Amino acid sequence: MSVPLGLYKIFIEVAKCQSFSKASKNLYITQPAVSQAIMQLEEQLKARVFTRTAKGVILTREGELLYEYASSAIKLIEAGEKKLLETQNLLTGELQIGVGDTISRYYLLPYLESFHKKYPSIKLKIINRTTTKLCNKIKAGTIDLAICNLPIEDSQIEVRNCMEVHDIFVGGKSYKQHSKVPLSFEELNDLPLIVLDQNSVSRRYVEQFMLRKGVKMRPDIELGAHDLLLEFAKIELGISCVIKEFSEEYLEKKELYHLKLQEEIPSRYIGACYLKSVPLSSAAMTFIEGLQLPIK
């Protein structure tokens, strides 16, 4: 049995008013339309739901039973519509964001703060993982979006560029001379290299670029965090491959020096990633749009 929802709404209004004419005024439809709707409902249900009286109508026993359930159902639908509207207007809801340590610290924090101040009713759930694991979570539907190191090549994932970054090599004071005279990749590879582990998108990007230039990277130390790359280079354990934009403090204080290369590594991006096949929620779309703007 498939009864149109509109018939139930008319039925509930008539039951409340105990009058076809009053219900028609409240619903802004004609009285004959109300009568026709109730007749249609009774025909489909094969039951009488109203008894006509001189003063109007009253519910039959079957009508009382139907009213109890129908009114509850309509209230739930209306509550759902209200919640949906609130979510669209960013008055309620949850936003699940995946992000790595480095991007979270050096890029995302001010945007999270700004979004939370603007939309305090949106609950933020932050999940910290590597880019590869975050992409898996996006495809599994367990997070709404992720802020990741790019490039990412996955046909299921949509990517929106947010911030341009540059991969550079840095060293401590004993490597200061290399900050003036450009190094070839062969010369660079002869120095003790400190890089992120092989699961890192940043590492693979630089490694593949050097390989295209005919040089296979030979790292001496592999680490799991960008901050450790900076600290290891600072104590002269070698030269580290880092993101320039996330290393400015060390460079400005001259704790580390930017090693010049004969051919600089092409810039890449940090971006927002989400599933292509699923429309973004209003909260997720608003958050991503905010990433395109400078924080004031």
Side-chain angles (χ1 to χ4, degrees), residues 100 104 127 155 165 185 211 220:
S104 181
I127 296 175
S155 60
V165 294
F185 286 120
L211 197 58
D220 294 86

Side-chain angles (χ1 to χ4, degrees), residues 89-109:
N89 292 330
L90 302 181
L91 300 176
T92 188
E94 181 179 270
L95 180 57
Q96 297 176 318
I97 303 171
V99 65
D101 289 332
T102 304
I103 295 175
S104 181
R105 176 180 177 183
Y106 291 103
Y107 173 69
L108 195 61
L109 279 178

Side-chain angles (χ1 to χ4, degrees), residues 141-152:
T142 55
I143 58 175
D144 298 304
L145 59 98
I147 312 303
C148 300
N149 275 302
L150 303 180
I152 291 173

